[in-house]
Amino acid sequence: PALACLSDFTEMMRALGYPRLISMENFHTPNFMLVSEVLLWLVKRYEPQTDIPPDVETEQDRVFFIKAVAQFMATKAHIKLNTKKLYQADGYAVKELLKVTSVLYGAMNTKGVERADVSEEDSSKFKFDLGSKIADLKAARQLASEITSKGASLYDLLGKEVELREARTESIARPLEINEAEKVMKIAIDCVLEQVQKTKDMLNNVALDEANLEAKIEKRKLELERSQKRLQTLQSVRPAFMDEYEKIEEQLQKQYSSYLEKFRNLTYMEQLLDDHRRIEQEMFEEAANMLHLTQNRLKEEEQRLLKSGKNDDSDIEIQEDEGSDSEVEDGQIMKQRTATEMLLQG
């Protein structure tokens, strides 16, 4: 999707008559100079009389430039731009630039101009004077709101016409008295003179307030100069505890390095201990299995020897040497039982 947006953006900028060729390689890395140049060109294309500063040398200037362009597009064209993505000046900024270019490109297409027919020589033919259009739009909106308010007030006045008609007829039918008219004129003149006097008093008060404000400004300027001088003196003086602070910081760095080494050693020793315990557990399980197998084999051999001993007792002709052999075998059986018991105890 990012490549598709970039290709659409390059085609639209070429169709709008941007003098510089834009390729997909320009936005693989952040390129704020190109983004600022494109934004300024789009703003000038939208309204040539705009006065957005083109300075983008420092970080503060760049932030101010991005904010000014976003505010201009929001107020003039009702286009909401993401300032963070514009400041990144990479592929995400192309999506935000595409919002403005698509509006201008759509406006150009409504005049019946095709993108393939636009060349660099004829690009000046499609520059619209959108400033006058926006002024006309504002005037039309203001007139529409005034028409609505005037229509509502006219409707209310027409509703009161029945009551006011009688009062108007009585006022017209009543004869005009010179003395009463003179009295009303005097009252009106006195009101006007009073308002003029109030205005003069306010002007005099404004002059006094201006003098007071100038005095306060001078006082604040002096305080500011004193504060700046004091700040310079404080910055030039090295604190008394700075040497001790640097020594303690060096000691802390050494202690931290020692702590890291000990922590690594401790972790390594814990791992070795876990491995040793696991090996001992495996050896213990293996020894238990071997003991169990040995015990079973001894029991089977003991049963076999007992059976063979019974068969030898049932035979009538028993030689003496055979008896001695049975005694030897009994001794071996007793030794094997003793070894088994010792193994079991172990």
Side-chain angles (χ1 to χ4, degrees):
L3 293 175
C5 292
L6 187 56
S7 62
D8 294 341
F9 174 71
T10 55
E11 291 296 327
M12 288 183 182
M13 291 297 290
R14 189 180 296 112
L16 289 171
Y18 186 68
R20 177 179 173 182
L21 293 176
I22 300 174
S23 64
M24 297 182 180
E25 301 293 332
N26 296 127
F27 294 97
H28 283 178
T29 57
N31 192 354
F32 190 85
M33 299 303 294
L34 179 59
V35 171
S36 62
E37 183 180 352
V38 171
L39 282 173
L40 189 60
W41 186 82
L42 291 173
V43 169
K44 294 290 185 182
R45 185 67 182 272
Y46 199 92
E47 185 174 352
Q49 289 79 16
T50 184
D51 55 349
I52 294 177
D55 297 332
V56 290
E57 295 295 331
T58 62
E59 181 180 356
Q60 187 176 3
D61 293 337
R62 293 182 178 183
V63 172
F64 180 76
F65 175 80
I66 293 295
K67 286 184 178 180
V69 171
Q71 186 176 4
F72 174 83
M73 286 298 171
T75 54
K76 300 293 184 180
H78 301 285
I79 297 174
K80 185 178 181 181
L81 298 177
N82 193 336
T83 55
K84 292 183 179 179
K85 292 182 179 179
L86 285 175
Y87 192 81
Q88 290 177 3
D90 52 4
Y92 292 99
V94 176
K95 296 182 180 179
E96 303 300 321
L97 294 173
L98 192 60
K99 296 178 181 179
V100 184
T101 54
S102 59
V103 173
L104 295 175
Y105 185 75
M108 186 180 69
N109 286 335
T110 54
K111 295 294 183 179
V113 180
E114 296 182 357
R115 182 174 56 187
D117 297 335
V118 179
S119 61
E120 294 181 357
E121 296 178 356
D122 299 333
S123 62
S124 61
K125 296 180 181 179
F126 307 112
K127 294 182 179 180
F128 301 100
D129 190 6
L130 296 178
S132 61
K133 300 295 182 182
I134 293 174
D136 295 340
L137 181 60
K138 288 183 178 179
R141 288 181 178 175
Q142 186 176 0
L143 289 174
S145 61
E146 289 179 359
I147 289 170
T148 305
S149 60
K150 294 290 180 62
S153 60
L154 182 61
Y155 179 77
D156 294 336
L157 292 174
L158 289 174
K160 298 178 181 179
E161 176 63 21
V162 179
E163 299 177 357
L164 297 176
R165 187 182 301 166
E166 297 178 358
R168 186 172 61 250
T169 305
E170 290 178 358
S171 299
I172 293 172
R174 188 175 59 185
L176 183 62
E177 295 181 0
I178 301 300
N179 294 329
E180 187 176 355
E182 187 179 358
K183 187 185 297 184
V184 172
M185 289 298 294
K186 285 182 179 180
I187 293 171
I189 291 169
D190 293 337
C191 292
V192 172
L193 292 174
E194 186 178 357
Q195 290 180 0
V196 170
Q197 187 63 33
K198 287 182 179 179
T199 305
K200 288 181 179 180
D201 294 338
M202 289 175 66
L203 290 174
N204 295 328
N205 293 330
V206 167
L208 293 174
D209 293 338
E210 186 178 358
N212 293 329
L213 288 175
E214 287 179 355
K216 288 182 180 179
I217 290 170
E218 292 295 332
K219 185 178 179 181
R220 292 299 174 88
K221 283 182 179 178
L222 294 174
E223 291 178 358
L224 178 61
E225 290 178 358
R226 287 196 297 269
S227 300
Q228 288 179 351
K229 290 179 180 179
R230 185 179 179 185
L231 178 62
Q232 290 177 358
T233 55
L234 290 175
Q235 289 178 350
S236 62
V237 175
R238 183 180 175 84
F241 57 86
M242 201 65 191
D243 297 333
E244 185 179 0
Y245 173 77
E246 291 177 354
K247 291 180 181 179
I248 293 173
E249 190 175 5
E250 292 178 359
Q251 293 177 2
L252 178 62
Q253 188 68 27
K254 293 179 181 178
Q255 292 293 332
Y256 182 69
S257 302
S258 176
Y259 166 74
L260 287 179
E261 184 178 359
K262 291 180 180 179
F263 182 76
R264 285 196 297 268
N265 294 333
L266 178 61
T267 307
Y268 177 71
M269 296 300 291
E270 288 179 351
Q271 184 179 0
L272 290 179
L273 180 61
D274 293 337
D275 295 339
H276 182 68
R277 288 177 179 175
R278 179 174 54 78
I279 293 170
E280 283 186 351
Q281 184 66 26
E282 292 177 355
M283 291 175 64
F284 177 75
E285 292 178 356
E286 186 177 357
N289 293 330
M290 292 295 294
L291 182 63
H292 184 67
L293 293 173
T294 306
Q295 185 178 3
N296 291 333
R297 187 169 65 252
L298 289 175
K299 285 183 180 180
E300 291 177 357
E301 190 173 355
E302 184 179 358
Q303 290 178 1
R304 182 175 59 77
L305 292 173
L306 289 174
K307 289 180 180 179
S308 62
K310 289 180 180 180
N311 293 329
D312 292 338
D313 291 339
S314 61
D315 194 359
I316 299 173
E317 295 178 355
I318 301 174
Q319 298 178 0
E320 292 180 358
D321 56 349
E322 291 178 355
S324 62
D325 292 337
S326 63
E327 290 177 358
V328 172
E329 290 178 356
D330 291 339
Q332 290 179 356
I333 292 170
M334 292 299 293
K335 288 180 180 180
Q336 291 176 356
R337 286 183 179 177
T338 306
T340 304
E341 289 177 357
M342 289 176 67
L343 288 173
L344 290 173
Q345 290 177 359

